[in-house]
Amino acid sequence: RNKLLNIVTSQEGNSEIKIYQDVNIYVSQLDELKVLDFDISKNRQVYFVQIEGKSQINELVLEHGDACEITEESKMNIKALTSSHFLFIDMPQV
């Protein structure tokens, strides 16, 4: 709650679940008005899914069931507009 949990990583990552792909999967549940920042490394992108609630990702507002692809940003600022639950995948840019 109110922090990022890295649930899946590549074989070199720190998660307990490791796969043979260059990805990181994060999940979080944020209380209303809580904020998290995530740095997006060069040549990487993020696929973000809003599972419950409403969040603002940089300047974009996502509601329950919405998703977006973030391809040309170096940072992701996540602000919970309501109590929110989300998941995102950090992967190489295609």
Side-chain angles (χ1 to χ4, degrees):
R1 188 170 204 105
N2 296 319
K3 62 182 179 179
L4 288 176
L5 176 62
N6 189 196
I7 58 173
V8 176
T9 64
S10 65
Q11 293 295 308
E12 295 79 33
N14 296 323
S15 168
E16 290 190 28
I17 301 172
K18 297 180 186 333
I19 61 174
Y20 290 98
Q21 297 291 322
D22 183 11
V23 299
N24 289 289
I25 300 176
Y26 295 89
V27 66
S28 185
Q29 184 171 357
L30 290 183
D31 294 331
E32 185 173 358
L33 302 180
K34 293 289 185 178
V35 177
L36 289 175
D37 288 318
F38 179 79
D39 291 326
I40 303 171
S41 298
K42 187 175 181 179
N43 297 322
R44 299 201 52 97
Q45 65 184 32
V46 169
Y47 184 73
F48 190 100
V49 179
Q50 185 73 35
I51 298 169
E52 295 177 317
K54 184 177 182 179
S55 295
Q56 182 174 335
I57 315 311
N58 296 347
E59 302 300 320
L60 180 66
V61 174
L62 297 179
E63 298 187 31
H64 168 83
D66 289 343
C68 70
E69 186 177 32
I70 302 166
T71 58
E72 296 185 21
E73 300 285 339
S74 60
K75 186 172 215 152
M76 189 169 52
N77 177 266
I78 307 161
K79 179 180 181 181
L81 301 177
T82 65
S83 180
S84 294
H85 186 201
F86 57 84
L87 174 142
F88 67 88
I89 303 169
D90 167 52
M91 61 190 144
Q93 204 163 32
V94 290

